[in-house]
Amino acid sequence: METRTFGETTDTDTDARTDRPGGLSRRTALGLLGLGTVGAIASSPGRAAPDERCFTINGGKIAGRILPPPTPESLPSTEGILRGAGPLNGSTALAIEELVPSAGLSTVPSDTVSYRGVFEIATNWGTLTLQDVGIFDSDLASDGEFTSRGRVTDGTGRWEGATGILFFWGDTDENGAFTAEANGTVCVPKS
């Protein structure tokens, strides 16, 4: 059996196990796809446990703007309004804590960045706090696109003890205004 390190190719890589020269084996690609599917299923909240109540958001809309950094050493932030999300309707704020050019990868253009920050949704019932991780691609004429995943980390009021994940994606314009869609599930302990 031939042993190769990841990414190493041979001159005649026509083995039936690969799709293209130097590519992942079909078995590896299917395994990664399977792991991703299992991970998505395992990380999704699914049905509520008997001692909790869950709220599912499908198609919530955020309208907001990117705020410039207040000082040269600080990072940008956002503010917005979330609607169409039932009990999660409210004002939003993202405080970016870490920003990496090229999405942390050597072959990605530098105007594609990955970021991590604290995302808060202030509702009538308290504030929900999420750890948001995303990618922003500004490699467009004068605007950008982004996608992110927010894992619930904290909450106040009715959101105390909440768990769940929300997914966001959207577009920005040349003036820093953005629109985003929000989907996911947040569960809270029954009181």
Side-chain angles (χ1 to χ4, degrees):
M1 174 182 233
E2 176 184 6
T3 304
R4 291 188 284 177
T5 59
F6 182 76
E8 181 181 350
T9 62
T10 63
D11 291 336
T12 56
D13 198 359
T14 58
D15 189 323
R17 295 174 292 163
T18 60
D19 293 51
R20 60 185 186 277
L24 291 175
S25 73
R26 288 184 186 130
R27 180 182 302 176
T28 301
L30 289 173
L32 290 172
L33 177 62
L35 284 174
T37 302
V38 169
I41 292 170
S43 67
S44 62
R47 294 192 307 204
D51 59 343
E52 63 184 12
R53 181 172 179 202
C54 294
F55 303 94
T56 298
I57 300 163
N58 288 310
K61 305 289 185 203
I62 301 174
R65 64 187 180 124
I66 299 171
L67 303 172
T71 67
E73 299 81 31
S74 59
L75 296 171
S77 58
T78 71
E79 64 182 13
I81 300 292
L82 174 59
R83 299 188 194 288
L88 284 172
N89 287 341
S91 61
T92 67
L94 171 64
I96 296 176
E97 297 177 331
E98 189 174 6
L99 194 65
V100 180
S102 303
L105 303 169
S106 62
T107 59
V108 175
S110 62
D111 51 6
T112 298
V113 298
S114 56
Y115 61 89
R116 178 188 59 77
V118 175
F119 185 78
E120 291 185 334
I121 305 170
T123 74
N124 289 336
W125 296 276
T127 299
L128 186 68
T129 303
L130 302 97
Q131 181 68 52
D132 195 50
V133 176
I135 294 178
F136 178 79
D137 185 359
S138 62
D139 186 23
L140 304 168
S142 61
D143 56 2
E145 296 177 335
F146 63 91
T147 184
S148 70
R149 185 238 346 123
R151 181 178 302 277
V152 175
T153 59
D154 199 7
T156 65
R158 183 65 180 114
W159 305 113
E160 187 173 343
T163 60
I165 296 175
L166 297 178
F167 297 92
F168 307 96
W169 61 92
D171 299 298
T172 63
D173 69 16
E174 65 276 1
N175 298 315
F178 72 87
T179 56
E181 186 164 326
N183 291 297
T185 303
V186 174
C187 299
V188 294
K190 286 184 178 174
S191 43

